[in-house]
Amino acid sequence: MTGTTDTLSPEAKLALITRNLQEVLGEAELKTILNERDIKLYWGTAPTGKPHVGYFVPMVKIADFLKAGCHVTILMADIHAFLDNEKAPFELVTLRTKYYEQVIRSMLSSIGVPLEKLTFVVGSSYELSPEYSMDNYRLASKVSEHDAKKAGSQVVKQVAQPLLSGLLYPGMQALDEEYLKVDAQFGGVDQRKIFTFAEKHLPMIGYKKRIHLMNPMLPGLQGDKMSASDPNSKIDLLDTSKAVATKVGKAFCPENEVEGNGVLSFVKFVLFPASDQRLGSPEFVIQRPEKFGGNTVYNDYETLEQDFVAGNVHPGDLKSSVAAALNQLLEPIRQHFETPEMQQLILEAYPPPVAAPKVVKQKKKHNKRPEDGNADGAASEQTVEEKLAETHL
């Protein structure tokens, strides 16, 4: 995509904003606004578990939004993290909020996104205000328990005995659109029920419905959704280069198959867009020895997929090439977190689990009859008598 933000046409901006998205709710409104001005949008993240490489998916879309001239706010949703079935006490959430901001900044830097174009906002900076609290009550008076539970079903942790806090989560996410003064909210397609909840309920308290932009969910290394709670499905942003190569090497990547192939999906939604941002054009290199055909440079995902399906790209070569490209993205992030200050932040935000004390079983002492332990008993008595005798003057 060529041209600066000032010279891009509304159609070119729309193409950048919507490329690789799975769904757009309110595209007609998006086109109308782009014909008048650049749009304002936000992406929110609840600082709970450690971010993994799947977070590169929203990062490369944020790069697209900025390139299209969008005004982007990143919401560090600390109150939401606390409400989500109390995954962590609020003191720990505060530390994780700082960690998340550092991670997001370093991720964006690694793909060449200028940070001065972004605004970072912490949820508790406005969600505890009297005005927001009153709007939260107003919204609660319009929302049924059924609708609140349904809206959060794919985002809020589901347990046998759900807490009331989980029912507040969708309403607050809807209100954030109004209090951040945005035209659109961006998130994964797993947020769809919350987005439609917001479209339905915000007008009930006098606020307009917003545009919603949805990314596809990236499959994990085992073919399922990548999750921070499943160590086998994710690569941590601070994993060593060797650990990255090992995890990618064990990934689900069936020969000639595209469906559910997390390795191919990562190339499509992260590595190609990231290289476009960093280098000015999309590029991915399949690295292999000369005896197996040598390196092949791909400038678009479709050609790579065709070659993979045709058997011209072996899963082993694809995985080793993905590991090499991913390690190139991760290296600046690793270096950022090598400082003593960042190491201390990691330790405080994600303290190691305290090992349970080992219970040492006491050996049972069997009582002996006096006649069985006579010798020992006599010795003991003698010792006592001697000690008593020593006390007499």
Side-chain angles (χ1 to χ4, degrees):
M1 188 70 65
T2 60
T4 64
T5 298
D6 294 334
T7 60
L8 288 177
S9 66
E11 293 75 19
K13 291 180 179 181
L14 178 67
L16 265 175
I17 291 168
T18 58
R19 76 169 175 179
N20 284 340
L21 291 181
Q22 182 164 325
E23 188 176 3
V24 177
L25 297 177
E27 187 166 352
E29 176 68 9
L30 176 60
K31 291 177 180 177
T32 299
I33 295 174
L34 286 174
N35 282 324
E36 300 171 358
R37 59 173 173 82
D38 292 324
I39 70 165
K40 294 176 283 187
L41 62 84
Y42 96 89
W43 172 73
T45 182
T48 51
K50 281 186 177 181
H52 47 71
V53 296
Y55 275 65
F56 272 115
V57 179
M59 295 303 106
V60 295
K61 272 314 301 176
I62 287 171
D64 281 346
F65 297 148
L66 291 170
K67 195 181 292 186
C70 301
H71 304 280
V72 180
T73 296
I74 294 180
L75 173 65
M76 314 302 290
D78 55 343
I79 300 292
H80 294 77
F82 178 69
L83 289 176
D84 191 2
N85 202 47
E86 260 196 338
K87 286 182 178 177
F90 196 72
E91 295 75 18
L92 203 56
V93 169
T94 300
L95 291 165
R96 291 178 178 179
T97 298
K98 295 177 182 177
Y99 175 77
Y100 264 58
E101 181 170 344
Q102 290 295 323
V103 162
I104 290 169
R105 286 180 179 274
S106 60
M107 289 181 77
L108 290 169
S109 294
S110 78
I111 60 174
V113 177
L115 300 181
E116 62 271 12
K117 295 182 179 181
L118 289 166
T119 301
F120 286 83
V121 176
V122 177
S124 57
S125 67
Y126 65 89
E127 290 172 348
L128 300 178
S129 68
E131 295 80 11
Y132 188 96
S133 296
M134 192 63 224
D135 271 346
N136 208 6
Y137 294 139
R138 289 173 62 215
L139 190 60
S141 71
K142 305 289 185 182
V143 178
S144 70
E145 181 267 347
H146 173 270
D147 284 355
K149 189 173 181 180
K150 178 184 176 182
S153 61
Q154 288 187 279
V155 178
V156 179
K157 185 177 180 180
Q158 301 299 297
V159 293
Q161 297 294 326
L163 300 175
L164 179 60
S165 58
L167 299 179
L168 297 174
Y169 194 112
M172 290 181 65
Q173 187 167 333
L175 282 176
D176 290 337
E177 296 179 346
E178 175 64 27
Y179 277 77
L180 292 172
K181 302 302 177 186
V182 296
D183 304 302
Q185 183 179 173
F186 164 62
V189 72
D190 60 337
Q191 303 270 338
R192 193 181 195 282
K193 290 180 180 178
I194 289 183
F195 291 166
T196 55
F197 170 93
E199 291 187 6
K200 175 183 176 181
H201 290 93
L202 277 186
M204 292 183 180
I205 58 172
Y207 298 138
K208 66 177 183 179
K209 71 176 184 178
R210 265 61 178 194
I211 301 159
H212 294 103
L213 311 169
M214 284 167 274
N215 249 350
M217 299 306 294
L218 185 72
L221 297 180
Q222 307 306 317
D224 299 320
K225 173 185 171 182
M226 192 174 286
S227 169
S229 61
D230 181 3
N232 295 319
S233 79
K234 72 182 183 77
I235 297 172
D236 191 275
L237 292 166
L238 301 182
D239 276 346
T240 65
S241 57
K242 184 178 179 180
V244 170
T246 299
K247 289 182 178 180
V248 175
K250 294 179 179 178
F252 177 75
C253 185
E255 195 167 359
N256 312 118
E257 291 185 25
V258 176
E259 187 69 27
N261 191 321
V263 182
L264 272 179
S265 293
F266 195 82
V267 177
K268 178 179 181 179
F269 292 105
V270 174
L271 296 181
F272 268 115
S275 66
D276 190 14
Q277 177 67 28
R278 290 168 60 242
L279 307 175
S281 61
E283 179 182 292
F284 178 69
V285 181
I286 289 291
Q287 303 176 7
R288 55 193 167 195
E290 287 295 331
K291 64 180 180 179
F292 296 121
N295 293 354
T296 303
V297 179
Y298 290 91
N299 299 113
D300 64 90
Y301 171 76
E302 289 72 22
T303 304
L304 172 65
E305 182 182 293
Q306 289 168 10
D307 279 359
F308 183 80
V309 172
N312 298 326
V313 175
H314 189 272
D317 294 328
L318 176 65
K319 290 193 282 188
S320 62
S321 301
V322 166
L326 177 54
N327 272 320
Q328 191 174 12
L329 288 181
L330 294 178
E331 188 54 34
I333 302 172
R334 296 188 194 109
Q335 291 177 6
H336 178 76
F337 280 93
E338 284 177 354
T339 65
E341 181 185 3
M342 290 297 101
Q343 287 293 308
Q344 184 62 30
L345 177 59
I346 295 170
L347 188 63
E348 291 176 352
Y350 297 94
V354 179
K358 291 183 179 180
V359 179
V360 180
K361 291 185 178 181
Q362 298 289 336
K363 292 184 178 180
K364 290 184 178 180
K365 294 183 178 179
H366 299 285
N367 293 328
K368 295 181 179 180
R369 289 180 296 185
E371 58 270 24
D372 293 335
N374 189 45
D376 290 339
S380 178
E381 287 175 8
Q382 180 64 33
T383 303
V384 171
E385 288 174 357
E386 288 175 356
K387 289 182 177 180
L388 286 172
E390 291 172 358
T391 63
H392 294 293
L393 296 175

